[in-house]
Amino acid sequence: MRPLRPDGPGWGLPGFALLLLLLLLPPPQLPAFASEIPKTKPKAAIRQREVVDVYNGMCLQGPAGVPGRDGSPGANGIPGTPGIPGRDGFKGEKGECLRETFEESWTPNYKQCSWSSLNYGIDLGKIAECTFTKMRSNSALRVLFSGALRLKCRSACCQRWYFTFNGAECAGPLPIEAIIYLDQGSPELNSTINIHRTSSVEGLCEGIGAGLVDVAIWVGTCSDYPKGDASTGWNSVSRIIIEELPK
């Protein structure tokens, strides 16, 4: 089909009218989906982004910075509401009734009397004495005699060494004493026994008033036995130790 030309054959009023109608119609529009085609980034830009991400992930951590200073103290908060009152606990066991005595601090009080060699051979009587100043009336006295003791006899005999306080034996609670007993044996053997042994007489006595106390060691007989040949403090040191103790 040959195009119509205004100056060609067949061009007349109908052809002119068709041309005018085509010019007056609006131009054709593209499909709606043509404007929604996403724009893609160039491949070079995508590759550069991936390289940056990998580099950032491999970076080493730098040294720690200088610690910051403490901030200013904050203002006090709003007081909280009172808590729920607690419940009463279980009832405890009944305690013991103790009587406390408040006294001044205890000061040590002791004394020692000693002899280098008593060599005292009496069988009955006072051997040695030591005077002590007792500070309190409600305290106790601890006494000790240490020295060599000896007893010999041909027949059975017994001797007794004991303490006195101001001339009387201890009554609180009992006397302080020590004994040596020697059996009869054969006269020949007993006549040759002469053993001196270091021994001690020791104990506590209560009920003695404050002030000067004459503490002495004595030798005497045992009940129901005859005395023998006694000796005290032979060839050695003898001593009396006195100490005041709280009750």
Side-chain angles (χ1 to χ4, degrees):
M1 180 177 178
R2 299 175 58 184
L4 296 177
R5 297 175 56 187
D7 55 350
W11 181 265
L13 182 60
F16 181 78
L18 180 59
L19 179 60
L20 181 60
L21 180 61
L22 292 174
L23 294 175
L24 293 176
L25 290 175
Q29 296 183 358
L30 296 175
F33 65 85
S35 62
E36 297 177 0
I37 298 176
K39 298 180 180 180
T40 59
K41 294 183 180 180
K43 293 183 178 181
I46 295 175
R47 179 60 180 172
Q48 183 180 4
R49 179 64 180 176
E50 292 176 354
V51 172
V52 172
D53 292 342
V54 173
Y55 179 76
N56 290 338
M58 296 175 61
C59 287
L60 298 177
Q61 184 177 358
V66 179
R69 295 178 300 175
D70 294 339
S72 301
N76 294 331
I78 301 174
T81 56
I84 301 174
R87 296 178 300 174
D88 293 339
F90 295 103
K91 185 177 180 180
E93 299 180 358
K94 185 177 180 181
E96 299 180 0
C97 181
L98 299 178
R99 181 179 179 182
E100 296 183 357
T101 303
F102 298 94
E103 296 182 352
E104 68 276 10
S105 59
W106 183 265
T107 302
N109 184 22
Y110 61 90
K111 183 178 180 180
Q112 174 179 249
C113 297
S114 58
W115 301 267
S116 60
S117 183
L118 280 176
N119 281 334
Y120 213 36
I122 65 170
D123 301 330
L124 299 172
K126 182 190 294 185
I127 299 171
E129 63 182 5
C130 184
T131 302
F132 181 77
T133 301
K134 194 169 182 289
M135 304 302 295
R136 296 172 177 82
S137 59
N138 61 343
S139 60
L141 286 185
R142 173 181 176 268
V143 292
L144 166 69
F145 171 81
S146 176
L149 304 182
R150 192 280 320 262
L151 178 64
K152 70 175 183 177
C153 52
R154 291 183 177 274
S155 59
C157 60
C158 179
Q159 295 290 124
R160 173 175 176 260
W161 284 259
Y162 58 93
F163 274 102
T164 62
F165 302 86
N166 292 331
E169 290 196 59
C170 180
L174 292 170
I176 301 172
E177 63 180 0
I179 67 167
I180 295 179
Y181 169 80
L182 188 62
D183 201 356
Q184 180 177 353
S186 62
E188 295 79 10
L189 180 62
N190 284 334
S191 63
T192 60
I193 291 178
N194 186 21
I195 301 175
H196 297 259
R197 291 188 178 93
T198 298
S199 305
S200 63
V201 185
E202 182 179 7
L204 287 172
C205 188
E206 301 176 1
I208 301 173
L212 292 177
V213 182
D214 182 20
V215 180
I217 184 74
W218 293 62
V219 62
T221 59
C222 304
S223 59
D224 300 332
Y225 286 94
K227 71 179 183 67
D229 183 7
S231 175
T232 306
W234 177 78
N235 198 30
S236 60
V237 174
S238 303
R239 57 174 45 87
I240 293 176
I241 298 176
I242 309 168
E243 182 181 9
E244 185 174 5
L245 299 175
K247 292 179 61 176

